[in-house]
Amino acid sequence: MAINDGPRAIADVSVGTILATVTIAVPPERVFRALTADDQIPLWWGSDELYRTTKHTADVRPGGAWRSEGKGVDGREFHVQGEYLKVEPPHLLVLTWKAPWDGDNVTTVTYTLEAVEAGTRLTLRHEGFGAREGACRDHGFGWERVLGWLATFLSDGVGSKPQRVFHCRLIPPRPDFAFTLTDAEKALMKQHSDYLRGKLGEGGVILFGPVADPAGPWGLGIVRANDEAAVRALTDADPTVRSGLGFRYEILPMMTAVM
């Protein structure tokens, strides 16, 4: 599938508002996930020539917080964050936007996704810049690039890259973890299972489950992805890793895989 209508952005500095559009030849559900999922945004938001988003966390519900972190080509780290105001998948997403490079002023971004014959027409409205004409203009240039990255990521050109298979080992915080679970840890492991079960349906995770190692059980995941960065984005979003309790993943590429 091809991109039917390239990204365009117009910054109206007189009212402090940006309007941007792009048409992408995939369904709204796929576009919505690419805009919200922790393991998706680091895969496409950025380029080697400018910057890369390295981590994204989001509680995708009204009132939920989101935050993206990354690193520029000059090595400088950055972040941007906000809060979801409206979440109506797969057609509407409204969030606040607070960036240090804009003086931590709070603006509002609205994504509207419309199903069209060619796939999805995505319309973005970024407002609240007020009299900050330079910031409005710069963000307009930025959004045109961002929507271009998104469209390229979701097109068949990127999706057709040869994928590799990775062995992922989830190491628990203590060797006897599987036998000494607290109630809170049992609830966390259910979240972990639900998270990976959802990834099974998307095709990235091939299988997962506990391994009965005599030295202490650990979790096994077999993942298909373009590169290790994509796998790392997936594992970093695992509720066990995000819990801060000491879980960690070891990721190794498989030399060959027969399936």
Side-chain angles (χ1 to χ4, degrees), residues 34-220:
L35 290 170
T36 55
D38 291 354
D39 64 337
Q40 289 284 291
I41 287 180
L43 301 182
W44 64 266
W45 199 309
S47 72
D48 293 337
E49 296 76 25
L50 293 173
Y51 64 84
R52 282 287 183 187
T53 299
T54 56
K55 183 178 181 181
H56 181 79
T57 56
D59 181 9
V60 189
R61 61 179 178 83
W66 68 271
R67 178 183 172 97
S68 284
E69 301 173 8
K71 182 177 291 188
V73 69
D74 59 0
R76 294 183 182 179
E77 296 182 346
F78 68 86
H79 72 272
V80 58
Q81 61 191 11
E83 177 183 313
Y84 291 104
L85 303 179
K86 293 183 180 180
V87 179
E88 299 176 11
H91 298 297
L92 180 67
L93 190 67
V94 184
L95 51 92
T96 60
W97 177 278
K98 181 180 178 182
W101 60 84
D102 188 28
D104 280 332
N105 289 288
V106 178
T107 52
T108 303
V109 176
T110 300
Y111 296 100
T112 304
L113 287 68
E114 177 188 0
V116 295
E117 184 176 354
T120 301
R121 179 178 294 115
L122 169 61
T123 302
L124 177 146
R125 184 180 182 88
H126 192 170
E127 54 195 331
F129 289 97
R132 302 192 311 281
E133 295 185 2
C136 183
R137 189 177 295 109
D138 290 346
H139 277 76
F141 293 138
W143 279 120
E144 190 162 301
R145 284 194 299 266
V146 168
L147 295 189
W149 293 332
L150 173 63
T152 299
F153 171 70
L154 292 175
S155 71
D156 276 351
V158 169
S160 62
K161 286 183 178 179
Q163 290 192 315
R164 302 170 65 189
V165 177
F166 294 82
H167 175 285
C168 303
R169 180 180 180 181
L170 176 62
I171 301 174
R174 57 184 185 274
D176 63 348
F177 178 82
F179 310 112
T180 59
L181 288 166
T182 66
D183 289 342
E185 288 169 339
K186 289 178 182 178
L188 176 63
M189 296 313 294
K190 182 180 185 305
Q191 294 175 31
H192 161 73
S193 295
D194 290 344
Y195 170 74
L196 290 180
R197 190 169 289 109
K199 300 304 176 186
L200 280 172
E202 296 167 7
V205 175
I206 299 172
L207 65 85
F208 72 93
V211 176
D213 188 331
W218 45 272
L220 169 67

